[in-house]
């Protein structure tokens, strides 16, 4: 499999004693993702599905500030949402601020390994759509893993952080890794893919979310109703990896694919009209990102992405021009 540039690995954290003692707050940024190519096998006995996915980290980020609370127990974790969050108040209202939040679970996992652990406060700035098929919650968790590792001086390796992340969800290890990758198994068996040249996209979020388990269930129902028999996917098409390697948007366009798209469109039929708008306005290709309902439109280059975003906005849609691949979870301050 391809190998990626080392720039996509989490940064090395200073280990000198003075830096450790001075560190009381860590700010980390982690990217959302899109699935450029996504194949889904039949349901397994455990209810999960084997997948073959081509992940791409894109420049729509979550930011988390983790602040130590000296004198409190490691289990004493509080959460708030930053005013700088760009998502609507209605969407933010649905985010749990208790122990069910993946970010809190991430902090607790690191605390179990950190002799210096104390209570912390997590301030999350949300920019990735919630329940939007872009792994926003997983990005939060990845950011907290990196931040708490730095804050408490646990000095965990990337592999150790990834193993912790896999306990929280299949998308967390990729939010740590960033860049481009092939995901097998349930999406957690990651192999980095070479993608040195950015590809440009326009994302159109929805005003609602879709539950990933519900989308998978609907896919199974649609396949059963149609009598469709599918094999377990073994690998992403080599044409996808070749297009990522060369950064050739035109070569990638015919290979954009998402097995979950039919289920997402069945649950949210209005998305089809937005896909048609993007096609009409000149996107090279278009698809539902992951389990949806965020839509991704492939552009020829940066200028085309800006033009396409403006045209979609003029048609009444929210639209963001982004690029990928970008770095995984990394410390800002």
């Amino acid at each position: 499999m391809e190998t990626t540039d080392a720039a996509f690995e989490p940064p090395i954290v200073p280990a000198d004693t003075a830096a450790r003692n001075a560190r009381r707050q860590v700010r980390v940024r982690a990217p959302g993702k899109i699935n450029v190519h996504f194949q889904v096998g039949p349901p397994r006995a455990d209810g999960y599905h084997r997948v073959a996915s081509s992940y791409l980290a894109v420049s729509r980020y979550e930011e988390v500030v983790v602040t130590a609370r000296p004198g409190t127990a490691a289990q004493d974790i509080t959460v708030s949402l930053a005013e700088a969050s760009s998502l609507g108040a209605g969407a933010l209202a649905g985010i749990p601020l208790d122990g069910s939040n993946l970010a809190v679970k991430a902090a607790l996992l690191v605390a179990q390994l950190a002799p210096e652990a104390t209570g912390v406060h997590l301030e999350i700035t949300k920019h990735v759509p919630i329940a939007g098929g872009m792994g926003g919650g997983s990005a939060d968790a990845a950011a907290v893993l990196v931040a708490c590792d730095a804050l408490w001086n646990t000095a965990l390796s990337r592999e150790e952080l990834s193993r912790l992340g896999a306990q929280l969800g299949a998308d967390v290890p990729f939010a740590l890794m960033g860049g481009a990758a092939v995901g097998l198994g349930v999406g957690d068996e990651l192999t980095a893919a070479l993608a040195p040249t950015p590809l440009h996209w326009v994302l159109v979020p929805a005003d609602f979310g879709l539950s990933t388990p519900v989308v998978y269930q609907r896919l199974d129902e649609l396949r059963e109703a149609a009598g469709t028999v599918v094999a377990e996917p073994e690998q992403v098409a080599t044409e996808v990896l070749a297009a990522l390697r060369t950064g050739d948007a035109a070569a990638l366009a015919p290979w954009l694919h998402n097995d979950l798209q039919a289920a997402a469109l069945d649950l949210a039929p209005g998305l089809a009209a937005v896909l048609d708008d993007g096609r009409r306005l000149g996107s090279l290709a278009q698809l539902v990102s992951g389990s949806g309902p965020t839509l991704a439109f492939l552009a020829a280059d940066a200028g085309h992405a800006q033009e396409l975003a403006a045209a979609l906005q003029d048609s009444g849609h929210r639209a963001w021009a982004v690029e990928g691949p970008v770095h995984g979870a990394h410390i800002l301050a």
Side-chain angles (χ1 to χ4, degrees), residues 266-294:
D266 185 77
L267 292 167
L271 297 176
V274 188
L275 289 172
D276 287 342
D277 282 347
R279 185 181 299 109
R280 173 179 55 83
L281 293 170
S283 65
L284 300 185
Q286 49 283 316
L287 83 169
V288 174
S289 177
S291 57
T294 303

Side-chain angles (χ1 to χ4, degrees), residues 25-38:
Q25 185 179 85
V26 182
R27 179 186 296 271
V28 175
R29 185 165 71 171
K33 58 84 182 173
I34 58 176
N35 298 83
V36 172
H37 191 89
F38 197 51

Side-chain angles (χ1 to χ4, degrees), residues 152-217:
W152 294 328
N153 188 41
T154 49
L156 298 173
S157 67
R158 187 179 76 165
E159 290 72 19
E160 289 169 320
L161 289 173
S162 184
R163 284 196 291 272
L164 290 179
Q167 298 179 42
L168 301 170
D171 287 341
V172 179
F174 179 68
L176 285 163
M177 172 189 276
V182 169
L184 301 177
V186 294
D188 59 334
E189 299 173 13
L190 295 176
T191 305
L194 186 64
T197 304
L199 290 161
H200 298 273
W201 306 79
V202 174
L203 304 178
V204 174
D207 293 326
F208 57 91
L210 287 175
S211 163
T212 297
V214 170
V215 175
Y216 272 95
Q217 180 181 353

Side-chain angles (χ1 to χ4, degrees), residues 99-111:
S100 64
N101 191 303
L102 278 186
V104 174
K105 295 179 179 180
L108 290 172
L109 284 178
V110 180

Side-chain angles (χ1 to χ4, degrees), residues 213-262:
V214 170
V215 175
Y216 272 95
Q217 180 181 353
R218 188 59 183 142
L219 174 64
D220 294 336
E221 293 168 351
L222 291 174
R223 285 174 167 175
E224 183 177 2
T228 302
V229 178
V230 295
E232 289 198 342
E234 298 297 332
Q235 191 52 270
V236 171
T238 56
E239 290 85 353
V240 174
L241 299 178
L244 290 175
R245 177 193 286 269
T246 59
D248 189 337
L252 179 62
W255 292 96
L256 289 195
H257 174 77
N258 181 5
D259 277 353
L260 292 177
Q261 181 161 314

